[in-house]
Amino acid sequence: MKKITLFIALLLMIPFISFNGQQFEEEKLSGEDFEKVTTSIGADFAFQYQSLKHRANGANLIPLGKGFNLPTANFIIEAILAPGVKVNLETYLSSRHHVEAWVKGGYLQMDKMPFMNSSVIDNIMEYMTVKIGVMEINYGDSHFRRSDNGNVIRNPFVGNLIMDAFTTAPAAEFMFRSNGLIGMAGISSGSLKPELSKFFPNNGNPYYEGYDTADELAYYWKAGVDKQLNDDLRLRATLSGYHNPKHHFGSLYNGDRAGSRYYMVMVPKTNTASDTDPASRFTTGRWSPGSTSEVNAYMLNIFGSFKGLELFATYETNSGKTLAKADFEFTQFAVEGLYRFGADQKYFVGGRYNTVKNNTDQSIDRIQLGTGWFLTKNIMAKVEYVDQKYNDFANYGSDAGFKGIMVETAISF
């Protein structure tokens, strides 16, 4: 009953909320100006100053200093291969998890299929977009607003959601769009690192028993509406699902290899080198089911914009089994509001509330307050105050959390 009530409440908010200039799925390529194969490059850079303090009256945490984090960067190559056909390749040049360069993924996007020489196919492709490759899967709308390594210019805050649904995988997506209606169906390997066969030693884990095969795919979908009602008002609402019947490495909630923004928070002392190794602690500040199987996840997103006022809301549930065969269920709610102002709305101020709870009554609550400035459309700076609290975590005690200031600068082109 509580879930139904919350869904209805969010739907009733649609006429009063907004999101100005938000880019979700890429626009269709018209292909009308195609003359020859062309190539373009782009890059994203991000740099933070962190001043956070953490506490736990039931655990001995590592000391946490103040200072600059390792700068992160992405490199993008795109080529238009034919009318309405492009290829994209993105590489992480530096990240919290890896200091060296490594490929995020690449995909082929087809908004037209001129090579088919079929009027029937041409008519169908007026409404369809096909993407195939190793790519960021299109589950939910929150991944369009998250920071992705060096690409942070689309996120008005510094941190992503507590339960961060993001992964890359070999996948194929088929999207229909017409007069604001959206329908998408996708299939993927369900794994960040596909392996046709793998041997796991018997280490007491009931899931791993010798050899395992990755022969079950993951399925995901999205349905919704996105309407620009007039010059000032845009509304969007989508419902997405993700279904993975079998455990795969790097699934929906542990597929981000770049790392979270709150470095080294809430790390207990073990007196080993991993305590202070950013690569081994790259998910600090997040919380999710982790490595799981039989996952069924659903995300409802509502957003809209009226002039400089914005609101974006997320309600998400996911359930399945842990690797120890125990049932789990997580629920997440997040709502954020912003106001953009000044010439070309280059300044903004806003806040986000985010909470996650599981079926054992553990929960995390976070408040983020932020402000920012677009020096140009490609250069921005933002400041965030964050306060995150951990409730009913036996390993942390009755009073645990972190809070403080994050400052981030970014360049994207």
Side-chain angles (χ1 to χ4, degrees):
M1 179 59 69
K2 291 182 179 179
K3 294 179 181 179
I4 295 175
T5 302
L6 183 55
F7 267 69
I8 294 173
L10 287 173
L11 291 172
L12 291 175
M13 292 168 61
I14 290 179
F16 307 102
I17 60 178
S18 72
F19 203 128
N20 185 34
Q22 170 69 40
Q23 178 66 50
F24 291 96
E25 290 86 7
E26 297 177 80
E27 295 182 359
K28 285 181 65 69
L29 299 170
S30 68
E32 296 176 356
D33 56 351
F34 179 84
E35 295 181 356
K36 62 179 181 179
V37 175
T38 57
T39 304
S40 61
I41 63 171
D44 303 295
F45 305 95
F47 191 28
Q48 309 92 37
Y49 175 81
Q50 177 172 310
S51 178
L52 301 177
K53 294 182 179 180
H54 59 185
R55 68 188 188 281
N57 62 0
N60 190 12
L61 304 180
I62 65 170
L64 193 62
K66 305 174 183 179
F68 292 101
N69 293 328
L70 176 73
T72 56
N74 300 5
F75 180 67
I76 306 102
I77 301 175
E78 280 196 349
I80 306 298
L81 304 180
V85 180
K86 78 170 185 178
V87 65
N88 172 286
L89 175 67
E90 186 165 358
T91 299
Y92 292 143
L93 298 180
S94 173
S95 73
R96 180 177 177 185
H97 195 195
H98 288 61
V99 296
E100 72 276 8
W102 45 296
V103 174
K104 172 188 174 182
Y107 60 85
L108 179 72
Q109 176 176 320
M110 294 177 286
D111 291 300
K112 294 182 179 295
M113 293 185 178
F115 45 84
M116 297 297 292
N117 297 315
S118 168
S119 59
V120 174
I121 297 296
D122 291 343
N123 291 334
I124 293 174
M125 292 306 295
E126 289 295 318
Y127 306 98
M128 295 294 297
T129 296
V130 179
K131 291 178 68 174
I132 301 174
V134 178
M135 58 193 182
E136 176 180 328
I137 69 167
N138 188 10
Y139 162 75
D141 283 351
S142 64
H143 72 103
F144 293 116
R145 295 177 54 84
R146 72 186 297 279
S147 296
D148 180 21
N149 201 47
N151 181 8
V152 306
I153 206 163
R154 58 188 180 176
N155 185 354
F157 302 95
V158 176
N160 297 324
L161 296 185
I162 298 169
M163 188 167 67
D164 191 17
F166 171 88
T167 191
T168 56
E173 296 180 357
F174 305 88
M175 173 168 286
F176 169 85
R177 288 177 281 189
S178 176
N179 195 30
L181 298 178
I182 301 170
M184 188 276 298
I187 186 171
S188 85
S189 66
S191 177
L192 179 69
K193 184 180 178 182
E195 294 177 301
L196 298 180
S197 183
K198 189 174 181 65
F199 177 76
F200 295 94
N202 187 349
N203 58 2
N205 189 325
Y207 182 82
Y208 293 140
E209 297 176 358
Y211 289 94
D212 193 15
T213 60
D215 54 3
E216 296 186 44
L217 301 175
Y219 306 90
Y220 56 101
W221 53 270
K222 177 181 290 187
V225 60
D226 189 345
K227 297 284 289 186
Q228 187 74 46
L229 299 181
N230 55 48
D231 291 342
D232 296 325
L233 179 62
R234 180 185 175 191
L235 302 174
R236 177 180 169 108
T238 65
L239 179 65
S240 301
Y242 179 91
H243 314 283
N244 191 351
K246 191 173 184 178
H247 167 67
H248 297 290
F249 171 77
S251 55
L252 184 61
Y253 296 101
N254 60 345
D256 178 21
R257 298 167 293 169
S260 71
R261 275 298 179 258
Y262 305 125
Y263 284 46
M264 312 309 292
V265 295
M266 308 305 294
V267 176
K269 285 183 180 179
T270 65
N271 296 315
T272 64
S274 64
D275 285 353
T276 56
D277 178 19
S280 62
R281 302 288 189 178
F282 69 100
T283 62
T284 52
R286 296 180 187 162
W287 185 46
S288 71
S291 296
T292 56
S293 63
E294 302 178 36
V295 174
N296 287 292
Y298 300 91
M299 181 184 290
L300 171 68
N301 294 109
I302 298 176
F303 103 99
S305 90
F306 182 72
K307 297 185 177 180
L309 296 174
E310 304 179 1
L311 188 144
F312 182 79
T314 299
Y315 179 73
E316 182 178 17
T317 66
N318 73 83
S319 60
K321 292 185 179 297
T322 67
L323 297 190
K325 298 295 187 179
D327 293 332
F328 75 85
E329 182 175 356
F330 277 66
T331 302
Q332 173 167 247
F333 174 71
V335 60
E336 58 191 66
L338 283 91
Y339 178 61
R340 300 184 186 274
F341 59 96
D344 300 321
Q345 297 185 348
K346 63 181 180 180
Y347 306 105
F348 64 87
V349 61
R352 174 195 284 163
Y353 173 71
N354 187 191
T355 182
V356 179
K357 183 178 181 179
N358 70 5
N359 54 323
T360 66
D361 290 329
Q362 292 179 312
S363 65
I364 295 179
D365 301 309
R366 179 197 290 170
I367 294 175
Q368 294 164 264
L369 303 174
T371 184
W373 173 30
F374 280 86
L375 288 71
T376 73
K377 67 178 182 179
N378 305 104
I379 306 172
M380 76 175 302
K382 50 187 171 179
V383 180
E384 173 188 286
Y385 170 79
V386 58
D387 187 349
Q388 180 161 314
K389 297 179 180 179
Y390 293 74
N391 308 304
D392 293 321
F393 282 74
N395 57 317
Y396 285 141
S398 59
D399 181 22
F402 65 88
K403 61 183 177 180
I405 300 294
M406 299 287 299
V407 180
E408 187 166 51
T409 58
I411 303 172
S412 291
F413 63 89

